[in-house]
Amino acid sequence: MAEPRRTRVPLIADVDTGIDDSLALLYLMASPEAELLAITCTAGNVAARQVAKNNLAWLELCDYADVEVALGAEVPIVQPLVTTEETHGPQGIGYAELPEPTRPLSSRHATEVWIDNARRRPGEITGLITGPLTNLALAVKLEPELPLLLKRIVIMGGAFNHPGNTRPTTEWNIAVDPDAAKIVFDAFSVVPEDRRPVVCALDVTERIVMTPAHIAELAEVAGSTPAEVVSPDDEPGTRSTASNPVVRHLSDAVRFYMEFHRAYDQGGFIAHMHDPFAAAVALDPSLATTRAATVDLELAGTLTRGQTVADWRGMWGRGPNADIVVDTDPDEFFRRTIERVGALARSIA
Ligand code: RIB
Ligand code: CA
């Protein structure tokens, strides 16, 4: 895999921080090419206000430039909110206990942040969405031109030729708000083919398998001591003693996620790092091999509501509205993550 491109990427991230959302934010903060314009918060893994607090806390821990953090939708567009503390922990960051943030939330709503930035910099901004699509759906309702004002969006969500992780055919981000997903995929059907939404679905993100060895390597790059050993034999809830604060809190967060994956038979004592993969693709699309398809949402199915359906062969007679990621190099993703986030951690030791 060639060295990553380093062209500057103006970006808005909409997240439901969450453990893997946390690593996605660290990846963005660790990437000099990322021009992080704003972080918007949606309910999903945990309540939106907890998501916002987590985002502010990670930004302050990393002493990152003042980035606008704005609260968005606290409930899905139609169905009631369902959260998943069993997956991400009561605060959404596993066992991590981040220092209380001191900076306030933006006074603007997430939709205003998206629309205002896109109008100010038409065609320049990449949108990264690693949670339910509620905020983006509300924003395109307020500003129908938004799909054409943004350069591109990268979505972590959906499952195509792959089992769901929430119900048999549904992936969490979409399952939380399938109506929002339908609005977004329909709205972005108008963009030119070189600017179609890039969709990082479970088909590829469940190949992004973080192991304790990855955490140990990252801690070593960070110069943290002692060696960071997250063992499947540890007592559940064991806390990190890493000298480096980013390593310590990230390790505590990811350990919870690894215990969840093992307990729910999702591959053992590992962690699927869905969101940081999408963040890496947002910064460097060459990391992903994609295939165009027409994506639509099943909203009426008794068993399948929230299923993302891909028409790969034009059977519906509608043009493609998405570039679905069908392949990547997970080792290259982890090489970049360890190198970047390890360096970020070292810089704030
Ligand atoms: O299905 C995985 C997705 O759902 C990830 O974004 C994770 O953070 C959860 O939001
Ligand atoms: Ca997420």
Side-chain angles (χ1 to χ4, degrees):
M1 171 79 60
E3 270 304 299
R5 292 186 197 144
R6 293 279 189 176
T7 46
R8 200 100 172 108
V9 180
L11 185 135
I12 299 174
D14 189 90
V15 295
D16 64 335
T17 307
I19 295 170
D20 57 332
D21 304 76
S22 298
L23 186 54
L25 291 181
L26 290 171
Y27 188 95
L28 294 176
M29 290 191 277
S31 299
E33 70 270 34
E35 183 184 356
L36 191 50
L37 301 173
I39 299 172
T40 55
C41 314
T42 183
N45 290 324
V46 291
R49 290 179 186 277
Q50 182 63 55
V51 168
K53 184 177 175 187
N54 295 341
N55 293 333
L56 288 167
W58 280 116
L59 285 170
E60 271 187 54
L61 181 78
C62 298
D63 197 20
Y64 196 72
D66 270 6
V67 174
E68 183 177 11
V69 178
L71 188 64
E74 301 200 56
V75 290
I77 284 180
V78 173
Q79 64 189 40
L81 174 63
V82 175
T83 54
T84 180
E85 286 77 4
E86 71 278 5
T87 308
H88 291 267
Q91 277 80 39
I93 45 177
Y95 295 120
E97 294 173 58
L98 293 172
E100 283 293 308
T102 59
R103 276 200 315 117
L105 264 181
S106 167
S107 58
R108 303 200 294 176
H109 188 274
T111 51
E112 185 184 350
V113 172
W114 275 83
I115 294 167
D116 178 55
N117 276 287
R119 284 175 176 163
R120 288 170 187 274
R121 299 178 66 171
E124 291 184 40
I125 297 171
T126 295
L128 169 66
I129 305 92
T130 65
L133 288 159
T134 316
N135 285 334
L136 190 54
L138 293 172
V140 298
K141 284 292 182 194
L142 289 169
E143 173 48 273
E145 288 300 305
L146 189 59
L148 293 169
L149 288 171
L150 291 168
K151 179 180 181 183
R152 194 154 208 193
I153 60 172
V154 177
I155 296 167
M156 191 282 130
F160 295 99
N161 302 320
H162 193 88
N165 63 359
T166 302
R167 286 189 290 279
T169 64
T170 63
E171 177 278 326
W172 171 259
N173 288 335
I174 308 298
V176 167
D177 196 344
D179 305 282
K182 166 81 174 164
I183 290 167
V184 168
F185 279 101
D186 286 354
F188 280 77
S189 298
V190 301
V191 304
E193 67 177 74
D194 62 340
R195 291 168 55 189
R196 288 187 199 121
V198 178
V199 183
C200 303
L202 295 182
D203 308 56
V204 71
T205 64
E206 288 195 352
R207 291 176 47 204
I208 310 300
V209 179
M210 190 169 213
T211 65
H214 289 130
I215 299 175
E217 285 175 56
L218 192 155
E220 190 177 354
V221 171
S224 188
T225 55
E228 188 63 14
V229 178
V230 179
S231 168
D233 301 325
D234 289 341
E235 196 59 35
T238 298
R239 294 303 197 273
S240 169
T241 60
S243 60
N244 182 281
V246 172
V247 172
R248 188 166 62 252
H249 294 305
L250 178 61
S251 181
D252 286 345
V254 177
R255 177 191 290 274
F256 187 100
Y257 212 25
M258 289 179 166
E259 291 173 0
F260 164 82
H261 282 76
R262 176 174 59 187
Y264 286 77
D265 194 24
Q266 297 208 15
F269 193 71
I270 54 93
H272 292 140
M273 282 300 172
H274 314 275
D275 296 343
F277 173 73
V281 171
L283 294 184
D284 180 10
S286 71
L287 197 58
T289 302
T290 61
R291 184 178 165 201
T294 310
V295 172
D296 206 336
L297 269 290
E298 175 55 64
L299 297 180
T302 307
L303 301 175
T304 57
R305 173 171 161 80
Q307 180 174 353
T308 49
V309 182
D311 174 8
W312 303 97
R313 298 163 59 186
M315 295 175 178
W316 293 331
R318 293 154 45 185
N321 62 349
D323 286 339
I324 298 172
V325 178
V326 293
D327 198 9
T328 191
D329 176 355
D331 291 340
E332 173 59 18
F333 163 76
F334 280 111
R335 188 192 68 75
R336 294 184 192 185
T337 300
I338 289 164
E339 178 184 74
R340 293 172 185 224
V341 179
L344 172 71
R346 180 186 286 268
S347 73
I348 59 119

